[in-house]
Structure formats: C-alpha cells, structure tokens
Amino acid sequence: MTPTETDIAMMHRALDLARTAAAMGEVPVGAVVYETVTGAVIAEAHNRREIDADPSAHAEHIAIVQACRDRADWRLADCTLVVTLEPCPMCAGLIVNARIGRLVYGAPDPKAGAVDTLYQITRDARLNHHVEPIANVCAEESGSLLKDFFRRLRAEE
C-alpha cells in the first residue's frame, strides 16, 4: 500500500512529537490518530515512559487510549494510526484490540518490532481483526532521530 498525502503530513507531525520526546529525555517516538476520511486529528502523543515511570507509556498506546476516551468508544475502525517506529508486541496488540482501521509507521524496529520485523501481530489470521501496515514512511528521518538519541545517551554515560 502507498501512503496518502495525509499519512505523510501526519508522519511529519509525529516526527515533531518524537523530537519533543527526545528533548525531554524520552526515546523519540511520536504518534497521531486521525480520522481516515476527514483527516481530523483525534489524538497525538509521544513516549512518556521515563516521565511517568510507566512501562506502557508508549506514544501509540497513549494516543490510542486518548482517542478512545475522546470518542467514548473503544473501536477506532475509521481511524489511522501514524507512528514513527514500528509498534512493539504490546502496542500491536492494542492496535488489534482497538480495531484501528489503518496503520502507518516509520522506521522498522529490529529489537521489538511486532508488525513486520519479529512478529506480524496486526496480520495474524488467528486474531479477530487485521490491519495491513504501510511501512517505512519517512523511515530515514525517524531512524536518524532514534540513532542520534541513543548515540548522545551513550556519550553521556
């Protein structure tokens, strides 16, 4: 599948959120949930694991929960999730459980990627909902943000 202009614009917003996370000492990951047809942003977030001392405070997890609360509905079938890094198993499971209609992500995650790299949770035929991901959207920029963040972190140690 090919990303739409809206997907790319939302990825740029997610990258801005990732830069905000990095400035706060968080792993630079950003996420946006938007209505697929109208392009209206419902929720956005960046990683907050360190700030919140919460292992579940991944950008996409926060954005999905916020979108569901905003809509007072746990089903987001008419929405697209855009995230700068391939979701982990926890977040891929949440994407399935929230019935996200479309998934767009940036860089692959060789250590925890559960959409394409290590697992294919969002496409697992045994589950009751499936999402075909659109991968590698602005992947180079997203990957560079992550590499630069971890390079700086190691230099400070």
Side-chain angles (χ1 to χ4, degrees), residues 49-65:
R49 289 192 316 175
E50 301 298 330
I51 294 166
D52 294 348
D54 179 352
S56 71
H58 292 197
E60 59 271 51
H61 186 282
I62 296 166
I64 290 169
V65 170

Side-chain angles (χ1 to χ4, degrees), residues 21-102:
M24 300 169 79
E26 293 284 350
V27 174
V29 178
V32 177
V33 176
Y34 76 91
E35 291 180 355
T36 303
V37 174
T38 67
V41 173
I42 301 169
E44 57 183 33
H46 57 72
N47 272 10
R48 296 184 53 92
R49 289 192 316 175
E50 301 298 330
I51 294 166
D52 294 348
D54 179 352
S56 71
H58 292 197
E60 59 271 51
H61 186 282
I62 296 166
I64 290 169
V65 170
Q66 182 183 338
C68 290
R69 286 184 179 150
D70 183 66
R71 292 177 130 203
D73 190 353
W74 59 269
R75 295 171 195 89
L76 299 174
D78 63 333
C79 295
T80 298
L81 169 66
V82 176
V83 61
T84 59
L85 181 65
E86 179 183 2
C88 71
M90 174 186 68
C91 293
L94 185 61
I95 289 164
V96 170
N97 280 306
R99 310 296 195 266
I100 297 286
R102 295 177 69 245

Side-chain angles (χ1 to χ4, degrees), residues 1 13 19 34-35 46-47 56 60 68 74 104-106 116 120-121 123 131 133 139-140 145 154:
M1 294 179 73
R13 176 62 188 144
R19 283 187 273 279
Y34 76 91
E35 291 180 355
H46 57 72
N47 272 10
S56 71
E60 59 271 51
C68 290
W74 59 269
V104 177
Y105 74 86
D116 284 314
Q120 295 78 42
I121 292 173
R123 295 189 312 271
V131 181
E140 189 173 317
L145 276 173
R154 283 190 289 281

